[in-house]
Amino acid sequence: MKKDYLKDKAVKKKTASKAGWMIVVFVVIFAILIGKFALTNAGDVFSGLPDSDTAYGVAKQYIMPTVLSHNITFSDDEYKFAKKSDSVYVIKSSYITKESNGESEKTNFTITLKYNGGAGEKSSNWALVNLDQNN
């Protein structure tokens, strides 16, 4: 049985060439994905947990739909903030509503929110755990 070394060499070269092109294609796809990840807001995932101001801003977004009055003023300088765990935030503050007849009413609230990840400013990345409001 004779071996054709030139034919075997050509087959091996063709196989190696295909493998090389496959590696190049995978590297290009990987580079595109890394570039897309770096240029989008997906980097916010690694920025850590939201701070107290961000959590308070989201809390206001959750409270506003529960208030009947459209004239609402939050006590932004007087809120209290605590973390129950890494992603559960408790905020205590108050807001004042002014009615059309000129009367104003102060309401204290305590809200517990769970941060689910993503951009901290988006309320869709949070879940309401508990909300207590009392006059």
Side-chain angles (χ1 to χ4, degrees):
M1 178 172 194
K2 284 185 169 182
K3 282 193 170 184
D4 190 359
Y5 290 107
L6 292 177
K7 194 173 186 181
D8 286 344
K9 190 174 180 181
V11 169
K12 287 181 181 178
K13 186 176 181 181
K14 187 176 178 183
T15 304
S17 178
K18 283 183 183 179
W21 281 111
M22 295 277 288
I23 290 172
V24 168
V25 167
F26 284 122
V27 167
V28 168
I29 290 172
F30 183 73
I32 289 171
L33 291 175
I34 293 294
K36 184 174 180 176
F37 181 77
L39 295 176
T40 62
N41 290 336
D44 291 342
V45 173
F46 302 113
S47 63
L49 293 172
D51 61 357
S52 62
D53 292 334
T54 304
Y56 180 66
V58 171
K60 291 193 299 186
Q61 292 177 23
Y62 273 96
I63 290 172
M64 288 172 87
T66 67
V67 180
L68 297 177
S69 175
H70 295 290
N71 192 357
I72 181 170
T73 306
F74 286 92
S75 303
D76 291 339
D77 296 334
E78 300 175 9
Y79 76 88
K80 294 178 183 173
F81 170 82
K83 279 187 177 179
K84 276 188 165 180
S85 67
D86 283 343
S87 60
V88 178
Y89 297 77
V90 179
I91 297 167
K92 292 183 179 185
S93 188
S94 63
Y95 59 85
I96 298 173
T97 56
K98 291 186 182 176
E99 302 300 325
S100 57
N101 61 5
E103 291 184 25
S104 62
E105 185 176 338
K106 183 176 181 179
T107 304
N108 297 313
F109 67 87
T110 302
I111 187 169
T112 305
L113 298 171
K114 183 177 186 313
Y115 174 63
N116 297 321
E121 299 82 21
K122 295 178 77 176
S123 61
S124 60
N125 293 332
W126 296 77
L128 178 65
V129 176
N130 189 25
L131 174 61
D132 293 323
Q133 298 182 43
N134 52 13
N135 299 345

